Amino acid sequence: MYFITIPSEKEQYKKKLTKVSTDETGWINFYYNKDSATEWVEYYPYKEDRAPAILKRTDLPKEVKELMEICFASKDIEDWRGLGAELSSGIYSIKEVAQVLKENAFNWPNEALEEFKSSFRPIDNRNIIGMNVEQVEKSYQEFIEAQNYINQIIK
């Protein structure tokens, strides 16, 4: 298990954890599970509304393809949902998510892809500062195309 997204299960699991610290904003909490020697972070992947908070292990890979492979290989529905939330955090490129899905979705269970889609809300995290109008428009169209492509893959 890499993620816990259901609020009641998250609160139950937190009882097993030791709170280590809180970040300077007060929104992100860090925990340690001495039984499994794993570190966890409680954070808000959906920056626009800060809800809901989820728990994720801190030892997850940062590379999109590896992260997706690990979570889709899991049999835990929470990992599929958590992956969708994590990839919605604005840190990851939607174009890269679309490319990984294009190359690998046929290997992953339909149930996993459906649960992923239920929590995946792509964020337009393009850096448009310094772009002219044509570049901004092209970048926006690439974002929309990637989003549409993901929706076609995961129906």
Side-chain angles (χ1 to χ4, degrees):
M1 176 172 41
Y2 301 100
F3 293 95
I4 303 175
T5 63
I6 299 171
S8 60
E9 290 186 25
K10 180 186 66 147
E11 292 307 314
Q12 189 67 26
Y13 191 77
K14 280 173 42 178
K15 292 177 182 177
K16 300 178 186 179
L17 305 175
T18 302
K19 188 172 183 179
V20 176
S21 64
T22 301
D23 80 335
E24 62 280 351
T25 67
W27 287 95
I28 300 172
N29 297 306
F30 298 90
Y31 297 91
Y32 182 74
N33 183 331
K34 66 180 179 181
D35 295 335
S36 62
T38 54
E39 296 175 357
W40 292 79
V41 61
E42 181 180 35
Y43 76 114
Y44 298 85
Y46 305 111
K47 304 281 188 237
E48 70 277 3
D49 62 4
R50 292 230 185 256
I54 66 172
L55 276 174
K56 76 170 179 176
R57 283 181 30 185
T58 60
D59 60 343
L60 286 168
K62 303 295 182 217
E63 196 240 284
V64 172
K65 182 178 181 183
E66 188 178 355
L67 176 62
M68 292 175 77
E69 287 174 346
I70 286 172
C71 290
F72 281 127
S74 170
K75 302 291 185 211
D76 195 324
I77 193 170
E78 287 289 277
D79 290 336
W80 307 331
R81 291 175 180 166
L83 175 65
E86 173 70 8
L87 294 179
S88 300
S89 66
I91 298 169
Y92 304 91
S93 161
I94 187 173
K95 287 171 52 176
E96 192 172 356
V97 171
Q99 186 63 38
V100 172
L101 283 168
K102 177 182 180 180
E103 295 170 359
N104 300 284
F106 61 91
N107 291 322
W108 297 325
N110 285 335
E111 179 186 14
L113 293 168
E114 289 171 12
E115 290 299 331
F116 166 80
K117 186 176 180 181
S118 73
S119 60
F120 181 62
R121 298 186 227 156
I123 302 289
D124 183 358
N125 61 352
R126 300 170 299 125
N127 182 3
I128 61 172
I129 296 175
M131 288 184 178
N132 64 37
V133 174
E134 291 82 21
Q135 291 169 319
V136 170
E137 178 60 28
K138 180 180 180 217
S139 175
Y140 178 71
Q141 288 307 318
E142 289 172 352
F143 171 80
I144 295 299
E145 287 171 16
Q147 185 174 9
N148 289 337
Y149 187 77
I150 290 169
N151 289 336
Q152 289 173 1
I153 293 172
I154 308 170
K155 295 183 181 190

